[in-house]
Amino acid sequence: MPRPKSDSKFRVFMQENLLTMLTVIGVFAGGLVGFIIKNSTGDWTKREIMYISFPGEIFLRMLKCLIVPLLVSSITSAIGGLDLSMSSKIATRAIAYYFITTISAVVLGICLVTSIRPGQGAKIVEKRMESVDKASKVLTPDTLMDLIRNMFTDNIIQSTMFQYRTEIYENTSLPQPLPMEEWDFKPAQREGSNVLGLVMFSVILGTTIGRMREKGQLLQDFFTTLSEAMMTITSWVIWISPLGVGFLIAAKIIEMDSIAATIQSLGWYFITVMLGLFLHGFGTIAVIFFLGTRRLPYRFIAKLSQVLATAFGTGSSSATMPLTIKCLDGMGIDPRVTRFVIPVGATINMDGTALYEAVAALFIAQYREMSYSFGTIVAVSITATAASIGAAGIPQAGLVTMVMVLDTVGLEPKDVSLIIAVDWLLDRFRTTINVMCDALGTILVNHLSKKDLQKVDRLTDEPHELMELGANGHDKEQN
C-alpha cells in the first residue's frame, strides 16, 4: 500500500532540517540547563566549570583544526579555477559588499548611540581585570602596522600558528616614568593563526596557478581534492554541534557572576547594541541584498539557522567557516564563489564587531561625561572600521582592537573594563551577524557573477567539478 504524500514530505523535511533543529534545541537546552544549575546550586569552581565545558571544547577544537587547511585549499582552488579577470570581478564585488555593509553598520551604531545616549546616568561597578591590563599596553600605530605586517607574512608555516605583534614595555630603570609613546618595543609572536597572511598567500598562489594553465593543473587538482576532503570531514564534525554548542553555552552561563545585575547596570548599552545588530542584520543587509538580487533574504536566513546557531554557541566566525561553506554548497551556490568569499569574509568582514566598537567607544565617552565633536565621530567611524578588519575571528578578540578605538576618542584603555561584563554575550550576537552577513554576501556575489561563471564554463566546456558537492537538487538556488 503506497504511503501518503504528506508522510513522504514530512520525512524529506526531517531529513533536511534535523541537524538544524537539533542545534537550535542544543542552544536553548544549554541556556536552560545553565540557568537551572546556577540558580539551584552554589558557586562553581573553575575546574567544575571546565568539566561542564569539556564536550564543547572538544567540538571547538575539531572545528578550529579544519580552519587552516580548509582556508588555504578553498581560496587557492577557487582562484586557480578562474581566469584572472573573473577572479578580479568576484573579488571586487565581494570587497565592495564588505565595505558598504561595514560602513553602514558603523553609521547605524553611531546614530543609535548618539540618539539613545545609553551612557548618561549609567551606574557601573568598575573592576580592574588582568586581560584588560594586558590589552591596554598597545598603541594605535603599532596595531595598524601589525595588521599590514601580518598580511605580508615572512614565514607561511609560522603563520599557521602565530601572529606578529609589536610589544611595548616600560624601562623601569629610569628615574621617572615615560609616556607610552616613548616606551621600548620589540617584535613578538602571539599565539593564533595569522589568517590575514594565509589569505594573502592563498590568493597569490591561486592566481599563479591559474596563470600557469596546464603546468599548474597538478597543483590545482591537489588543492581541489584537499578542499573536498576538508568538507567531508566537516560533514562528520557538524553532527556533534548540538551537543558541543549546548555545553559551551551552559558553562558560560554558570561562569557569570549575576546575569540580572550585569544587564541592569548596562541595560541601555546592551539594548542599544542589540537594537543596532538587529536593525543591521534584518534591515540594512536585507535592503542591500534585495537591491542586488531583487529577492528578500529571509528564506536564505532560515536555511542558515544551523550555521547561525553554531556561530552563537562558539562565538567564532572562523570556527563556523567550514559549516558555512557546507551549508552554502547545499543551497547550490557555486563553490568557486563560496570558497573565495567566505574565507575572506570571515577574516575581514566584521559588521557586528564594527558596530559594537563604535557604540562602545561613544557609550564610554558619555559615561565619562566627555564631550565629543563631529570630527571625533568621524574618527571613531574610521577607526572602528579598521579595528574590525584587524579583529581575529575568535571569541572576544575585539578586546585589543577596542583599545585602539578608545585611544581615538582620547579615553583611557582601562575603560574597556566598564563593558567587559556583557562582552561575552554581545560577542556571540555580533558573531552571528558577522556570519550571516558573510553568507548573504556570498549568495549576492554568486547571483551577480552567475552569467560570468556560465560564460567561463562554456568557454572551457567543463562545468566546475565541485558544483554538486553536498548539494541536492531541491536545495539549489532558484533562478
Side-chain angles (χ1 to χ4, degrees):
M1 181 177 178
R3 295 186 177 180
K5 287 185 178 180
S6 58
D7 182 49
S8 176
K9 289 181 179 179
F10 177 76
R11 184 182 293 110
V12 171
F13 175 81
M14 289 300 296
Q15 289 174 348
E16 292 177 359
N17 298 281
L18 178 61
L19 184 60
T20 298
M21 290 188 290
L22 289 175
T23 306
V24 174
I25 290 171
V27 171
F28 285 103
L32 182 62
V33 169
F35 277 114
I36 292 173
I37 292 176
K38 185 172 184 63
N39 293 326
S40 61
T41 60
D43 293 336
W44 285 53
T45 64
K46 287 186 177 180
R47 176 164 289 276
E48 290 171 334
I49 295 173
M50 183 264 289
Y51 291 149
I52 292 289
S53 64
F54 182 72
E57 180 189 349
I58 297 301
F59 168 65
L60 204 53
R61 290 172 69 91
M62 293 170 72
L63 281 179
K64 288 181 177 180
C65 178
L66 297 172
I67 293 173
V68 171
L70 179 61
L71 183 144
V72 174
S73 63
S74 294
I75 295 180
T76 305
S77 62
I79 298 294
L82 298 167
D83 58 47
L84 189 59
S85 62
M86 188 66 251
S87 299
S88 62
K89 286 180 181 178
I90 292 176
T92 301
R93 288 163 182 157
I95 292 172
Y97 170 81
Y98 294 152
F99 179 78
I100 292 170
T101 55
T102 302
I103 293 297
S104 300
V106 173
V107 171
L108 175 62
I110 289 175
C111 290
L112 288 174
V113 75
T114 52
S115 57
I116 298 175
R117 304 192 68 82
Q120 289 187 342
K123 297 179 180 179
I124 308 172
V125 178
E126 299 186 28
K127 296 180 180 179
R128 292 196 60 79
M129 306 179 73
E130 184 181 355
S131 58
V132 175
D133 290 337
K134 288 181 179 179
S136 301
K137 297 177 181 178
V138 295
L139 293 173
T140 300
D142 290 339
T143 305
L144 293 175
M145 287 190 292
D146 287 347
L147 178 65
I148 298 173
R149 290 189 183 105
N150 281 315
M151 288 177 64
F152 301 96
T153 177
D154 60 346
N155 189 326
I156 191 63
I157 304 300
Q158 190 179 54
S159 293
T160 63
M161 296 175 284
F162 298 100
Q163 302 175 32
Y164 182 94
R165 181 184 180 186
T166 301
E167 286 188 354
I168 60 174
Y169 56 95
E170 187 175 10
N171 189 344
T172 55
S173 62
L174 296 176
Q176 59 183 22
L178 295 172
M180 286 182 62
E181 290 78 7
E182 298 182 26
W183 285 13
D184 292 331
F185 61 91
K186 62 180 180 180
Q189 298 294 332
R190 181 174 60 191
E191 189 174 346
S193 300
N194 175 13
V195 180
L196 277 175
L198 293 173
V199 167
M200 182 66 73
F201 175 80
S202 301
V203 168
I204 295 172
L205 179 59
T207 302
T208 305
I209 292 173
R211 291 177 65 90
M212 291 174 67
R213 301 183 184 278
E214 291 79 10
K215 289 183 179 180
Q217 191 58 45
L218 186 62
L219 269 178
Q220 175 67 16
D221 292 342
F222 167 76
F223 284 110
T224 299
T225 305
L226 179 60
S227 178
E228 290 184 19
M230 290 301 103
M231 292 313 303
T232 301
I233 297 174
T234 299
S235 66
W236 300 341
V237 173
I238 58 176
W239 283 99
I240 311 173
S241 58
L243 189 68
V245 167
F247 277 99
L248 283 172
I249 291 178
K252 200 65 186 180
I253 288 177
I254 296 171
E255 188 179 1
M256 283 195 71
D257 293 332
S258 173
I259 298 175
T262 299
I263 294 182
Q264 183 179 2
S265 64
L266 292 166
W268 281 109
Y269 167 71
F270 186 87
I271 290 171
T272 303
V273 176
M274 288 298 298
L275 180 61
L277 293 174
F278 180 83
L279 290 176
H280 181 69
F282 296 94
T284 307
I285 294 178
V287 171
I288 295 171
F289 187 89
F290 179 78
L291 292 175
T293 64
R294 293 297 184 268
R295 283 179 292 177
L296 292 173
Y298 305 114
R299 180 170 63 90
F300 297 104
I301 294 174
K303 290 185 177 182
L304 290 166
S305 53
Q306 193 253 332
V307 172
L308 300 180
T310 304
F312 181 84
T314 60
S316 171
S317 54
S318 294
T320 314
M321 183 178 68
L323 279 72
T324 309
I325 294 176
K326 183 72 177 175
C327 181
L328 291 173
D329 281 345
M331 292 164 63
I333 307 303
D334 193 304
R336 290 169 292 183
V337 177
T338 304
R339 282 156 176 72
F340 174 69
V341 178
I342 287 296
V344 173
T347 306
I348 69 171
N349 185 44
M350 303 286 181
D351 290 3
T353 304
L355 184 148
Y356 163 81
E357 295 195 344
V359 171
L362 295 181
F363 165 79
I364 294 172
Q366 293 169 2
Y367 176 75
R368 294 297 188 196
E369 298 182 349
M370 172 186 170
S371 59
Y372 47 85
S373 63
F374 178 75
T376 303
I377 293 176
V378 173
V380 168
S381 303
I382 297 172
T383 312
T385 303
S388 67
I389 295 173
I394 56 176
Q396 293 178 295
L399 185 63
V400 174
T401 53
M402 187 70 237
V403 172
M404 186 173 79
V405 182
L406 291 179
D407 184 56
T408 303
V409 188
L411 291 164
E412 290 291 329
K414 65 182 181 181
D415 283 341
V416 173
S417 60
L418 297 174
I419 58 172
I420 205 167
V422 293
D423 183 68
W424 77 270
L425 185 56
L426 291 174
D427 180 53
R428 277 157 169 73
F429 284 107
R430 66 180 185 254
T431 299
T432 304
I433 294 298
N434 291 341
V435 171
M436 187 178 80
C437 182
D438 292 344
L440 292 178
T442 305
I443 298 171
L444 174 59
V445 172
N446 180 78
H447 177 83
L448 297 176
S449 307
K450 188 171 293 184
K451 291 182 180 179
D452 295 322
L453 291 166
Q454 289 172 351
K455 183 179 179 180
V456 170
D457 289 337
R458 284 196 301 269
L459 290 174
T460 59
D461 200 26
E462 284 183 10
H464 200 269
E465 60 267 27
L466 290 180
M467 278 299 293
E468 301 297 327
L469 179 62
N472 299 315
H474 47 264
D475 279 334
K476 286 187 179 280
E477 184 188 16
Q478 301 297 318
N479 290 325

